[in-house]
Amino acid sequence: MKTTQTPAPVPAGEPGAAGPSAAPAGPPAREKKEGTVLNVFSHGILVIWAIMVALPLVWAVMTSFKDDRSIFSSPWSLPDTLHFDNWSRAWTQANMSDYFLNTVLVVGGSLLGTLVLGSMAAYVLARFEFPGNRFIYYLFVGGMSFPIMLALVPLFYVVNNMGLLNTIHGLILVYIAYSLPFTVFFLTAFFRTLPTSVAEAAFVDGASHTRTFFQIMLPMAKPGLISVGIFNFLGQWNQYMLPTVLNTDPDKRVLTQGLVQLAVSQGYKGDWSGLFAGLVMAMLPVLAAYIVFQRQVVQGLTAGALK
Amino acid sequence: MQHGKYRFIVGFLAVPLGLYALFVIWPFIQSIYYSFTDWTGLSPEFEMVGLANYERMLDDDIFWKSLQHSLLFALLLPVVTIGLALFFSFMINVGGRRRRGGPAITGVRGSSVYKIVYFFPQVLSIAIVALLFAFAYNPDSGAINSLLRGIGLGELQPLWLGDPDLALWCVMAVLVWSTTGFFVVLFSAGMASIPAELYEAALLDGADRVTTFFRVTLPLLWDTVQSGWVYMGILALGAESFAVVQIMTTGPGGPDYSTTVMVLYVYQKAFRDGQAAYATTIGVALLVVTLAFSAVVLRLGRRERLEY
């Protein structure tokens, strides 16, 4: 990477060689110096930050292939041999496979539920006028700005009284409820931008409202659904606070919870290499998904904040 | 489009609204009510005690400590994160030198790679990030201290999370690490929609990069910066700080409550100490702080909207 710009002697008066600093109005010598110093400095910071971001991840992957002794004696050295047994031990003995399955079930159910229920509510709020429309909209949207922790204490007892504590479907319902504010907010804005004429034509042709929605409007809303879907997928996959409170059964743990528990218990057992393997295992699917769907992920995550 | 309209509306709204009311709105209202009781959370009986919980809170040293830490999170973290992100995204989008034949306004070389790498931490769970850094901070065998030994700074072996003066800063650094990339991408998207002519005009007038940033980029990006600011503040007061503090620091809450934040204190009072009513009282205080924070940022940040 180009971190240093050699201050090669630029022939005086050559235009456009140094970007903004070569603006015709300024005295060339001073401008050039400012440009070079700033360039070296800021390129340096960009590279340092890139290293700071990548290094912990590389370190984790490296560590997951080492044996316990070398993790402690020389944390930065490369593994002597690739200890794949760490990975198989984490997958089977440390229950990572169960945590994965639980997470997939919970996130799969909640994502589907969030998208279906969220788009239903958003569609009605965006396209129909009825008394209370604004009130319900703000009731949903208001949920984005208040601290979840406040509701968590009574929520625990609500979920408990319904017999949903420590169940996968209970967790799914709660995830959906807490994903609705942003989903409704985002999709309401999206449905407003879709043309009315197609839906009206379908309705005139005798399709019911419900049919119009599922067969005409939902397919048209696909780009919006993908964006908000990615946003919710990452949020729900990475959720830690809700399962920590609502899901204390060891068999029902999701990935994040399972790993934290593992870290606590492995501290006594001393299987650090297995824990690192588990950690990397949990990171890999999202990192891989991010690299493949980079553009959509970025759009999905930033779309809401920009609108 | 009138036929069956209301039946349709009710049918479509009932389930989402019902779930939302049951799991979000209702607990939220209940928690304010519970803050006036002596409910333990362990038994169904409780009595109204008026403002007793609030009086207790005002005398609670740990509460004040947690409030102080939470305020520090909410004020300092956005400044650092958004400051870094503004610098990075400006360099990535506008800071480049003009290459012959290329567009006048361009990012530094390799900017697309930077954008991808910087965003990495954002897709990782904050719980996983916290675990990873808890290992890195380990004073004996952690990555950071052995790196210090490796480059000849062996004398310098801080206890990091074990040092009451350092622990809070260590935790905050992790949040900066994990969120900066998101704002780089967010601000990059905002900068991409600023018309190039504005930059070209600034260039023709002889503006250097610092001037360009403060006179052109920042004013036009202000709305995005502001909503990012509120978003970051809410994160720093809520879920994110809960995960890092609960997972990374001993106790949890750090040596001598040095890293206890309000969300963690709510959690501990409710689910560890069996003081559900008192926990909700601290929760109400957290709500007040969050709302006040958003209001102050939106108020201070108000300026004339720039159209372009």
Side-chain angles (χ1 to χ4, degrees):
Chain A
M1 257 172 267
K2 291 245 185 303
T3 54
T4 48
Q5 301 277 340
T6 32
V10 178
E14 189 191 276
S21 46
R30 194 194 63 83
E31 287 284 339
K32 206 184 88 202
K33 190 156 172 281
E34 184 257 347
T36 310
V37 170
L38 203 67
N39 251 316
V40 172
F41 175 72
S42 42
H43 266 287
I45 295 184
L46 284 171
V47 171
I48 288 173
W49 188 261
I51 293 174
M52 277 175 64
V53 167
L55 208 56
L57 304 176
V58 173
W59 175 69
V61 174
M62 219 166 70
T63 308
S64 74
F65 287 112
K66 292 157 92 166
D67 58 18
D68 283 316
R69 214 169 41 83
S70 61
I71 289 181
F72 287 100
S73 56
S74 46
W76 280 102
S77 66
L78 286 166
D80 44 355
T81 49
L82 293 180
H83 290 268
F84 283 106
D85 51 306
N86 295 340
W87 284 62
S88 54
R89 207 170 53 245
W91 182 252
T92 51
Q93 285 173 30
N95 300 329
M96 283 301 290
S97 50
D98 297 341
Y99 302 151
F100 245 105
L101 184 68
N102 288 340
T103 311
V104 168
L105 286 177
V106 173
V107 173
S110 341
L111 195 58
L112 188 71
T114 306
L115 289 180
V116 171
L117 295 178
S119 57
M120 279 161 58
Y123 178 66
V124 170
L125 290 173
R127 306 220 128 205
F128 292 86
E129 282 200 17
F130 57 93
N133 181 319
R134 291 285 80 189
F135 175 76
I136 294 174
Y137 175 73
Y138 283 115
L139 198 63
F140 272 121
V141 172
M144 282 195 294
S145 62
F146 80 72
I148 301 179
M149 195 35 107
L150 177 56
L152 230 45
V153 184
L155 176 68
F156 174 86
Y157 297 98
V158 168
V159 174
N160 192 17
N161 290 339
M162 295 173 68
L164 291 172
L165 210 61
N166 301 329
T167 61
I168 298 281
H169 51 280
L171 215 50
I172 290 177
L173 291 177
V174 174
Y175 274 28
I176 294 174
Y178 280 87
S179 306
L180 280 176
F182 179 78
T183 309
V184 169
F185 167 72
F186 182 89
L187 287 177
T188 305
F190 195 84
F191 277 121
R192 284 209 188 104
T193 64
L194 294 180
T196 42
S197 51
V198 184
E200 270 160 14
F203 195 70
V204 169
D205 285 349
S208 67
H209 284 296
T210 316
R211 212 177 133 167
T212 310
F213 172 72
F214 282 107
Q215 294 199 332
I216 313 281
M217 296 312 283
L218 263 195
M220 271 164 68
K222 214 166 129 197
L225 288 175
I226 290 176
S227 284
V228 81
I230 289 172
F231 179 89
N232 280 315
F233 169 77
L234 285 173
Q236 291 170 352
W237 184 272
N238 291 335
Q239 182 59 255
Y240 175 67
M241 196 154 74
L242 287 173
T244 301
V245 170
L246 299 175
N247 188 29
T248 46
D249 180 352
D251 292 337
K252 303 281 167 54
R253 279 179 192 140
V254 297
L255 264 179
T256 47
Q257 240 186 325
L259 278 171
V260 173
Q261 286 300 321
L262 213 58
V264 174
S265 64
Q266 296 303 67
Y268 301 108
K269 279 195 229 150
D271 184 8
W272 297 104
S273 49
L275 180 57
F276 263 95
L279 208 61
V280 174
M281 225 178 254
M283 285 180 352
L284 280 185
V286 273
L287 281 187
Y290 168 57
I291 292 169
V292 175
F293 301 107
Q294 204 241 112
R295 188 187 293 260
Q296 288 90 328
V297 171
V298 166
Q299 273 172 0
L301 277 189
T302 52
L306 277 179
K307 287 274 151 65
Chain B
M1 305 236 310
Q2 284 300 314
H3 174 70
K5 183 181 141 191
Y6 282 100
R7 228 183 60 199
F8 172 73
I9 292 173
V10 172
F12 260 40
L13 271 180
V15 179
L17 197 58
L19 268 184
Y20 183 65
L22 180 65
F23 290 123
V24 183
I25 302 287
W26 174 231
F28 180 63
I29 295 167
Q30 268 185 311
S31 69
I32 294 171
Y33 168 74
Y34 282 136
S35 73
F36 298 103
T37 69
D38 65 355
W39 187 44
T40 60
L42 304 172
S43 73
E45 284 110 63
F46 58 84
E47 276 175 40
M48 298 298 290
V49 293
L51 290 171
N53 285 320
Y54 290 89
E55 280 162 21
R56 177 182 165 196
M57 187 171 79
L58 296 181
D59 283 333
D60 184 347
D61 288 341
I62 305 171
F63 164 74
W64 287 109
K65 264 194 171 173
S66 69
L67 174 67
Q68 221 180 331
H69 296 153
S70 282
L71 285 179
L72 204 60
F73 269 70
L75 299 177
L76 204 60
L77 276 177
V79 175
V80 178
T81 315
I82 289 178
L84 275 175
L86 277 173
F87 173 75
F88 291 146
S89 47
F90 185 73
M91 287 310 295
I92 286 174
N93 291 284
V94 190
R97 285 157 171 253
R98 187 206 301 252
R99 287 185 277 277
R100 219 168 293 226
I105 304 304
T106 169
V108 294
R109 258 165 229 233
S111 51
S112 54
V113 176
Y114 287 129
K115 253 194 261 185
I116 295 175
V117 172
Y118 286 6
F119 199 75
F120 264 153
Q122 182 63 32
V123 296
L124 295 180
S125 166
I126 190 71
I128 291 178
V129 170
L131 273 178
L132 191 62
F133 274 90
F135 290 115
Y137 278 129
N138 186 309
D140 304 319
S141 50
I144 299 178
N145 272 2
S146 34
L147 194 67
L148 287 178
R149 280 194 294 271
I151 56 174
L153 290 169
E155 305 294 297
L156 206 70
Q157 295 282 300
L159 288 173
W160 300 118
L161 295 167
D163 182 342
D165 295 328
L166 273 182
L168 192 69
W169 304 103
C170 295
V171 169
M172 289 215 258
V174 173
L175 283 181
V176 171
W177 183 86
S178 71
T179 37
T180 298
F182 171 76
F183 290 104
V184 171
V185 171
L186 182 69
F187 294 154
S188 293
M191 283 181 197
S193 64
I194 296 176
E197 299 91 72
L198 287 174
Y199 284 117
E200 280 158 10
L203 281 186
L204 285 178
D205 290 343
D208 59 15
R209 268 175 284 196
V210 178
T211 318
T212 313
F213 174 76
F214 282 106
R215 294 291 170 80
V216 181
T217 311
L218 194 57
L220 291 174
L221 204 64
W222 191 251
D223 277 350
T224 313
V225 171
Q226 206 187 17
S227 50
W229 197 285
V230 175
Y231 175 76
M232 182 68 206
I234 291 175
L235 277 188
L237 285 169
E240 306 267 305
S241 68
F242 171 75
V244 278
V245 174
Q246 204 237 10
I247 294 168
M248 290 178 68
T249 65
T250 47
D256 195 23
Y257 300 103
S258 54
T259 59
T260 301
V261 286
M262 289 171 90
V263 262
L264 180 77
Y265 200 40
V266 175
Y267 173 80
Q268 288 180 334
K269 282 290 149 200
F271 299 104
R272 187 193 64 185
D273 301 345
Q275 301 174 7
Y278 187 48
T280 57
T281 312
I282 304 161
V284 172
L286 177 62
L287 175 70
V288 172
V289 171
T290 310
L291 292 180
F293 167 79
S294 320
V296 167
V297 171
L298 293 177
R299 171 103 215 171
L300 287 183
R302 194 193 295 162
R303 42 162 86 186
E304 226 171 295
R305 244 191 117 88
L306 292 167
E307 299 285 342
Y308 55 87

